[in-house]
Amino acid sequence: MDKDKKSLIEKILHEIAEDIIVRFEKGELGNNIGLLSGKSGVSLFMFYASRYFNNERYEKYAQLILEGTFKDINEGSLFPTYCTGLAGVGWAINHLVENGFIGDNNLSLLVDFDEYLDKIMDGYARSNNFDFLHGATGIAFYFTKRANSNPKVKDYLYDYVQKLKTYAIFDEVNKTAKIISTILDENEKPKEVYNLSLSHGMSSIIIILCKVAGITDGNADCIELIKGFSNYIISNETIPDKVTFSRYPSCVELININPKTSSRLSWCYGDIGNGFAFLNAYKILCDENYIVKAKDVFDSLETRNDVGKQLIRDSGVCHGSAGINVICKNLKRFHNQNIYDELIEHWLGITLSFYKSKNYSLEGFSMFTTKGYEYELGILNGTSGVGLSFLSNLNENYLNWTEMLLID
């Protein structure tokens, strides 16, 4: 990276950190405690920024924001999910301890989380809500980080797998499994589908099951589900779309009369999540077919670089350029192919272009919505996520945070 680009990125990182501090001092961070959407994620960014710049002031505010998160919890902010609630906060505490940002005495704070979250996970699973961001699977992911600290977690995860198996629809002939998920349609009405995505569907379930395998006594059940869900996704592969070059749909209709074959390029929905699911399945099952399918997905990134055709309208991690950038950073780290160097620079440049398009203002990092652009601070759709992606470009050792997105 040349000196001018590095200087610009460092300037932006300071602007993001100072903006967070100003908003915190004004009480504008609210009581959203979430890892991906709220204060615990903002705190995580501030810890990383403090380390990169060796800035004690940033570290002070990282701690204050984290303390504010627990103040909100003590005052009744008990929303449980991974994206916006306690499961994500718990994951953040584990991550900060593992990476030396805070002391391991903080893990004692999570003891009270575990029993409560197990009951919530059980309730979600009984109602067939296995969503990663907003349901049982995200809580199960939190528990994979707690297995060495709490012996009860083994049983919690076993129960999760058994309930997942109960709701899975198996096809013994084709050796597939699928599960019904609920999404909102274009009219914001609930709709049942077979969801293949990383954010809400079977790809994240596969990856979590790969982490659960070895923790519980239900390894055979984990393997059966990993294989079944992976094979189901593969069964929906089509000839690459002529516009987006995608191979898999985001969702499959229950009555698959007019299948949608294309999907956007993003972290949340589309082929990339399927690719990471296949990689994880290969590690567990050692089936070469999965690594071939993953390679097909990731090789296609070379041609999927047109912002308009790939429906990229903002810089965010969830469905924007920063997310694609850090995905390519991780793929470079693990697969070391030269094409990723070009893609990393391409998507970094696109992310910076959003900033430049708003007269070098943080407003350029606003999230695209159907109602216009909205400014956020969170990791998934806001400046903290963009900031973490920038830090990853400045120093590869700052990629550890991407584990929260299942792309590590």
Side-chain angles (χ1 to χ4, degrees), residues 94-142:
N94 271 291
H95 181 79
L96 291 169
V97 169
E98 286 178 351
N99 288 275
F101 290 107
I102 59 177
D104 59 9
N105 60 301
N106 288 278
L107 294 177
S108 63
L109 299 169
L110 304 182
V111 174
D112 292 335
F113 281 28
D114 293 349
E115 188 172 348
Y116 174 73
L117 285 173
D118 175 52
K119 292 177 181 177
I120 298 295
M121 183 173 71
D122 181 71
Y124 282 148
R126 288 179 185 277
S127 61
N128 192 26
N129 176 3
F130 291 97
D131 194 289
F132 172 54
L133 294 185
H134 308 301
T137 297
I139 298 176
F141 180 45
Y142 160 72

Side-chain angles (χ1 to χ4, degrees), residues 345-390:
E345 286 302 310
H346 172 72
W347 292 111
L348 176 60
I350 296 297
T351 305
L352 289 170
S353 72
F354 285 108
Y355 175 76
K356 295 173 183 177
S357 70
K358 289 293 183 180
N359 198 26
Y360 291 77
S361 163
L362 294 183
E363 290 294 329
F365 299 134
S366 298
M367 174 183 66
F368 177 80
T369 74
T370 55
K371 299 177 181 178
Y373 282 88
E374 297 178 3
Y375 187 81
E376 291 198 10
L377 300 180
I379 287 178
L380 206 56
N381 292 305
T383 54
S384 291
V386 172
L388 285 167
S389 76
F390 283 147

Side-chain angles (χ1 to χ4, degrees), residues 40 241 360:
S40 58
D241 181 81
Y360 291 77

Side-chain angles (χ1 to χ4, degrees), residues 1 5 325 340-350:
M1 183 184 298
K5 185 178 289 185
N325 171 260
Y340 292 124
D341 290 323
E342 297 174 20
L343 290 171
I344 289 163
E345 286 302 310
H346 172 72
W347 292 111
L348 176 60
I350 296 297

